[in-house]
Amino acid sequence: MSSEKQAEEAIVSSLNETMEHEEEDQGDNSVFSVKSLLWHGGSVYDAWFSCASNQVAQVLLTLPYSFSQMGMLSGIILQVFYGVLGSWTAYLISVLYIEYRTRKEKENVSFKNHVIQWFEVLDGLLGPYWKAIGLAFNCTFLLFGSVIQLIACASNIYYINDKLDKRTWTYIFGACCATTVFIPSFHNYRIWSFLGLGMTTYTAWYLTIAALVRGQVEGVTHQGPTKLVLYFTGATNILYTFGGHAVTVEIMHAMWKPQKFKYIYLLATLYVFTLTIPSASAVYWAFGDQLLNHSNAFSLLPHSAWRDAAVILMLIHQFITFGFACTPLYFVWEKVVGMHDTKSICLRAVSRLPVVIPIWFLAIIFPFFGPINSAVGSLLVSFTVYIIPALAHMLTYKSASARKNAAEKLPCFLPSWTAIYAVNMAIVIWVFVVGFGLGGWASMTNFIKQVDTFGLFAKCYQCPPSPSSKHH
């Protein structure tokens, strides 16, 4: 029997035990059938919706801003480039997860009531130092990813109701987003992932159609790129856009058959292209260099019921995405305080609350919607979802015996270990030099400029001087 077949049978056996356990708990009540339909997902389709929904939320509103920094052609090319790169490293993460889980299943380790996370995969395959590196980068990225969603909520709602400043809205939405502590795991995002993607799809096509109907503003210019610092700031925001697979392992673990995940992220990315490329291109075409001072695309579009609907739907999706980013942090914290195996949802929710407090606080300190995406992309996403997975894959299979006994076969489109290593090394070098190096310099320069201009704890970032007259 092949190692791949053994891996599949081991994982399926473990999952069958888990499902049988859950069925015993649920019984035959028809209420639970409805509950399972809406609340308890684990199929390939659930994973696709989770990946696509998590990949594009508030960043959709900042991509026109990135296009103004780097020009339309570069924006489109880099979206495709980083989309493919992100799909490849998500594939590597899925392979490493299967490898780790297969080895543990052979040791009769049970994962009932335990969610496998990326740092545990690194620990099991490469040792404690890699566990520490993975834990530090992943948690910091997810922390700031949650911060960004909270900032985006305040930034968006302001365009419907400007009677309150953005900082006050951050207080309010911080309290609202704290309710995600009651969602146990990624199994329970079935209906939310579906709704979230539908909401973002509406917003993307609203941006596209509204910009085209509005037409180009008088005297529009498209001078980007004009400065290297702006070019690489925009590039790292796109790197951030397609680096949403910090939660890949948790999404895989929620699947009934995680070995089927391999190409799901790529399929999700292809759909995301249909949202990001048309909307960013249309808004940049219509408003051009005005976007350099408007990081949120909503700020330039005329007030209407259609825009209000897009804002509200995006707010709901950002709440969902906040939960996506925070849930792995909840798991880590539960394991630290010894609550991860607790069956009581209420006890777990109470234990999770301390995770939300620093997110709330950071969103109030750094309300720089747009520039913060690029900073997080260059300093955290570059390592978390590009460099570390590529290095981990190369080190895991460095020996001939490891390659021979690999749980997963090589992909049909790249059936050579030499080619795999060449691609991985190219990703490491490119992302380190361009994403972390040049991107880090550019994004931090831009970020510091925002701090100097608006200050920390800015009350209303990029708000017009007279908010009350904005709609008149």
Side-chain angles (χ1 to χ4, degrees), residues 210-246:
L212 294 175
V213 171
R214 167 65 178 78
Q216 291 185 312
V217 296
E218 186 177 352
V220 66
T221 58
H222 300 87
Q223 295 180 351
T226 56
K227 298 178 181 178
L228 280 177
V229 66
L230 292 178
Y231 186 89
F232 286 108
T233 300
T236 50
N237 186 38
I238 293 176
L239 179 145
Y240 167 83
T241 302
F242 295 98
H245 42 292

Side-chain angles (χ1 to χ4, degrees), residues 76 82 117 217 247 258 289 327 331 429 438 447 450:
I76 294 172
Y82 281 122
Q117 295 189 265
V217 296
V247 295
D289 295 335
T327 297
F331 292 155
I429 294 170
L438 295 172
F447 191 81
Q450 305 304 314

Side-chain angles (χ1 to χ4, degrees), residues 246-284:
V247 295
T248 296
V249 170
E250 288 83 358
I251 291 174
M252 283 188 71
H253 192 81
M255 293 179 68
W256 306 134
K257 295 183 178 180
Q259 67 275 12
K260 291 188 175 182
F261 181 87
K262 289 180 286 188
Y263 302 114
I264 287 176
Y265 194 89
L266 174 62
L267 296 174
T269 299
L270 293 176
Y271 179 77
V272 167
F273 284 153
T274 69
L275 306 182
T276 58
I277 294 176
S279 60
S281 301
V283 175
Y284 178 55

Side-chain angles (χ1 to χ4, degrees), residues 357-427:
I357 296 171
I359 295 170
W360 208 348
F361 188 61
L362 288 168
I364 294 165
I365 299 177
F366 305 115
F368 311 125
F369 183 66
I372 195 173
N373 293 22
S374 297
V376 170
S378 61
L379 303 180
L380 298 172
V381 174
S382 56
F383 283 94
T384 305
V385 296
Y386 292 99
I387 294 174
I388 291 176
L391 286 175
H393 189 271
M394 288 192 287
L395 292 173
T396 298
Y397 297 109
K398 65 181 179 180
S399 68
S401 61
R403 294 192 293 273
K404 181 180 179 181
N405 297 314
E408 286 285 323
K409 290 181 179 179
L410 294 177
C412 58
F413 57 87
L414 207 64
S416 162
W417 281 105
T418 303
I420 295 281
Y421 271 72
V423 170
N424 287 347
M425 186 55 69
I427 290 173

Side-chain angles (χ1 to χ4, degrees), residues 30-291:
S30 61
V31 174
F32 286 110
S33 298
V34 177
K35 179 181 175 182
S36 297
L37 178 66
L38 300 178
W39 178 250
H40 202 70
S43 69
V44 169
Y45 301 104
D46 290 312
W48 183 85
F49 276 111
S50 293
C51 287
S53 179
N54 183 53
Q55 191 175 136
V56 58
Q58 55 75 34
V59 77
L60 185 75
L61 306 175
T62 66
L63 286 173
Y65 169 66
S66 296
F67 272 40
S68 70
Q69 293 172 317
M70 60 195 310
M72 188 178 294
L73 181 61
S74 290
I76 294 172
I77 290 172
L78 283 181
Q79 278 201 46
V80 175
F81 177 71
Y82 281 122
V84 172
L85 236 62
S87 299
W88 173 253
T89 53
Y91 169 79
L92 297 181
I93 292 171
S94 71
V95 168
L96 293 173
Y97 169 87
I98 296 296
E99 185 68 42
Y100 167 78
R101 186 156 182 175
T102 302
R103 293 182 186 183
K104 290 298 180 182
E105 297 289 355
K106 289 178 179 178
E107 297 170 7
N108 295 319
V109 175
S110 174
F111 294 107
K112 191 178 294 183
N113 296 326
H114 181 92
V115 176
I116 297 173
Q117 295 189 265
W118 175 231
F119 69 90
E120 293 170 320
V121 172
L122 292 174
D123 183 30
L125 297 177
L126 298 172
Y129 290 110
W130 278 89
K131 173 186 177 180
I133 292 170
L135 188 60
F137 274 104
N138 217 47
C139 288
T140 309
F141 168 44
L142 291 170
L143 179 76
F144 277 96
S146 304
V147 168
I148 289 169
Q149 299 305 325
L150 197 48
I151 293 169
C153 286
S155 178
N156 290 341
I157 192 63
Y158 182 79
Y159 297 112
I160 289 182
N161 185 335
D162 58 9
K163 291 182 174 62
L164 299 177
D165 58 74
K166 291 181 182 179
R167 187 168 66 193
T168 303
W169 280 118
T170 303
Y171 293 138
I172 294 169
F173 277 99
C176 294
C177 289
T179 58
T180 58
V181 298
F182 290 100
I183 302 178
S185 74
F186 283 98
H187 279 301
N188 312 114
Y189 275 94
R190 163 173 275 186
I191 188 65
W192 296 114
S193 296
F194 175 77
L195 292 175
L197 189 58
M199 292 168 185
T200 302
T201 300
Y202 171 87
T203 303
W205 286 106
Y206 159 74
L207 292 174
T208 305
I209 295 169
L212 294 175
V213 171
R214 167 65 178 78
Q216 291 185 312
V217 296
E218 186 177 352
V220 66
T221 58
H222 300 87
Q223 295 180 351
T226 56
K227 298 178 181 178
L228 280 177
V229 66
L230 292 178
Y231 186 89
F232 286 108
T233 300
T236 50
N237 186 38
I238 293 176
L239 179 145
Y240 167 83
T241 302
F242 295 98
H245 42 292
V247 295
T248 296
V249 170
E250 288 83 358
I251 291 174
M252 283 188 71
H253 192 81
M255 293 179 68
W256 306 134
K257 295 183 178 180
Q259 67 275 12
K260 291 188 175 182
F261 181 87
K262 289 180 286 188
Y263 302 114
I264 287 176
Y265 194 89
L266 174 62
L267 296 174
T269 299
L270 293 176
Y271 179 77
V272 167
F273 284 153
T274 69
L275 306 182
T276 58
I277 294 176
S279 60
S281 301
V283 175
Y284 178 55
W285 169 81
F287 297 101
D289 295 335
Q290 284 189 25
L291 286 158

